[in-house]
Amino acid sequence: MTDYALRFISGKYQGGQFKLKMDREIVIGRATDGDMVLVEDMVSRRHSKINTTGGKITIMDNGSTNGTFVNGERVNTTPVELKEGDRILIGTSVLKLVVDEESLNEVARGDSLTDENSRRTTMSITRHMSGSIDEIPIPDLLQLLSTSRKSGVLNIFSGDKESKIYIREGKVYYCTINNNFDLEPTKAFYRLLTWVTGTFDLLPPDDAEFLKEIKESTEGLLMEGMRIIDEVNRIKNEIPAPEVYFTLASPIERPFKELNESQLDVFQLVHNLGTVRLILDRSNFSDLDTYEILIMLEQNNYIVRMK
């Protein structure tokens, strides 16, 4: 029979692992007499319960204050069956059900995570949540934060890039990349969804105010963002790199009257800025629409690449 474990992929206990034994009932919560003790203020005393009887692994909520979530969906007192790879959000911890290849590193030394053979306690309390976007892709992470109605500033780091997503009760209301406030926030958000490696930290809410907040729902943003990514991937072999510098063709043989207003706007950005990176940032259109216009202008010899 396959052995399973719950691996902490985000939060205070990140890196820890709790081995699941079959035919047991496991109580998760803040109470020290529980089976898995998570000492933090967003976890109820008897927060949720996992059952491993009958060859299945199920989880249910015990009427906790902040809820139990599986793959972004809130669960109630009706048991929900878990399968390998499922992500569970309890408090600020995200756990992943994995095959237990060996019972090593069950918990980080000094943590208050316990199993049947050990019971360790720490009095530290935290709301801090951190992890890796390699383990929890950004769309999945935002869905978890949305359904659990969390607030805060989600800092995401990928290479030399840093993004801040401002969240109010689960709703994204602003986004920046490298503190570039000239970049329209929804455009920054859609770019951010392409990041696949890096780390994140959920920090307490910020009192910063913005003149232009994002109005779309988080679910709507994610759906549109994934659509844009799919469309960009469709034309990825034609897309110019960010460092490419365009200039106007000489001579321009096709008449300008063949260009619509949007195409003329991007044409003017080419004339004023040249570099694809700057054109994308300053364009009033989405990155997808701007890319498509640049491709059209180049194919029709309105613009050419500098050698």
Side-chain angles (χ1 to χ4, degrees):
M1 181 179 292
T2 303
D3 291 328
Y4 290 95
L6 292 173
R7 180 178 299 156
F8 286 73
I9 59 176
S10 171
K12 173 182 176 180
Y13 303 101
Q14 184 179 354
Q17 186 160 298
F18 184 95
K19 184 174 181 178
L20 296 176
K21 295 184 178 181
M22 299 308 292
D23 299 318
R24 303 292 169 88
E25 183 179 86
I26 300 159
V27 176
I28 304 171
R30 202 173 66 245
T32 57
D33 61 348
D35 302 291
M36 184 191 293
V37 183
L38 305 180
V39 181
E40 60 165 290
D41 53 359
M42 292 187 68
V43 175
S44 299
R45 286 181 53 77
R46 295 184 176 276
H47 195 102
S48 53
K49 185 186 301 181
I50 289 179
N51 195 303
T52 61
T53 59
K56 298 189 299 183
I57 301 173
T58 62
I59 188 170
M60 57 177 283
D61 189 75
N62 272 347
S64 65
T65 301
N66 293 297
T68 303
F69 300 83
V70 175
N71 298 328
E73 297 292 331
R74 187 164 189 157
V75 300
N76 52 33
T77 55
T78 301
V80 172
E81 186 172 356
L82 298 174
K83 61 182 183 299
E84 183 184 353
D86 282 349
R87 294 181 174 88
I88 304 163
L89 175 65
I90 298 175
T92 63
S93 295
V94 179
L95 305 86
K96 183 178 182 180
L97 184 65
V98 299
V99 173
D100 182 44
E101 297 178 352
E102 52 183 327
S103 59
L104 53 83
N105 296 329
E106 288 191 314
V107 293
R109 187 172 289 110
D111 279 347
S112 115
L113 179 62
T114 67
D115 65 13
E116 293 177 308
N117 301 315
S118 64
R119 193 171 290 275
R120 294 188 283 269
T121 304
T122 176
M123 297 307 296
S124 63
I125 298 176
T126 180
R127 287 182 181 272
H128 184 71
M129 181 177 180
S130 62
S132 166
I133 61 174
D134 305 67
E135 278 278 10
I136 313 178
I138 293 173
D140 293 355
L141 176 59
L142 289 170
Q143 187 65 34
L144 284 171
L145 298 177
S146 175
T147 53
S148 56
R149 299 181 64 83
K150 283 186 166 41
S151 298
V153 181
L154 184 64
N155 279 18
I156 303 177
F157 304 88
S158 181
D160 61 352
K161 297 177 293 186
E162 175 186 2
S163 175
K164 293 181 180 180
I165 304 178
Y166 296 79
I167 302 171
R168 184 187 297 123
E169 295 186 352
K171 183 184 183 303
V172 173
Y173 67 94
Y174 202 81
C175 181
T176 67
I177 295 178
N178 292 338
N179 288 320
N180 179 8
F181 292 95
D182 290 331
L183 182 62
E184 201 272 337
T186 55
K187 187 180 291 189
F189 181 86
Y190 295 144
R191 288 186 191 177
L192 172 64
L193 294 182
T194 65
W195 298 7
V196 295
T197 185
T199 59
F200 70 85
D201 292 285
L202 180 63
L203 304 180
D206 195 312
D207 59 1
E209 296 183 1
F210 305 100
L211 292 176
K212 184 179 181 181
E213 292 191 358
I214 295 174
K215 301 301 183 184
E216 293 87 345
S217 67
T218 298
E219 291 75 13
L221 285 170
L222 290 172
M223 289 180 62
E224 177 63 10
M226 300 312 293
R227 184 194 71 80
I228 290 175
I229 289 173
D230 288 342
E231 290 297 310
V232 169
N233 285 335
R234 179 179 58 81
I235 59 172
K236 63 182 179 180
N237 293 331
E238 303 174 74
I239 289 176
E243 62 273 10
V244 167
Y245 191 97
F246 280 111
T247 188
L248 307 188
S250 181
I252 296 176
E253 297 179 351
R254 300 180 70 95
F256 286 111
K257 66 181 181 180
E258 294 184 3
L259 300 179
N260 61 33
E261 185 175 343
S262 300
Q263 294 163 346
L264 286 171
D265 285 348
V266 174
F267 180 84
Q268 184 173 359
L269 289 175
V270 171
H271 177 64
N272 293 341
L273 303 172
T275 306
V276 171
R277 188 188 310 278
L278 293 177
I279 293 168
L280 291 171
D281 286 353
R282 299 288 180 85
S283 173
N284 292 323
F285 314 112
S286 71
D287 286 351
L288 172 62
D289 291 340
T290 305
Y291 276 135
E292 290 180 333
I293 293 173
L294 285 173
I295 292 169
M296 186 282 299
L297 291 174
E298 184 178 24
Q299 290 177 342
N300 287 276
N301 204 38
Y302 286 101
I303 61 175
V304 294
R305 304 186 189 205
M306 290 286 288
K307 302 299 184 182

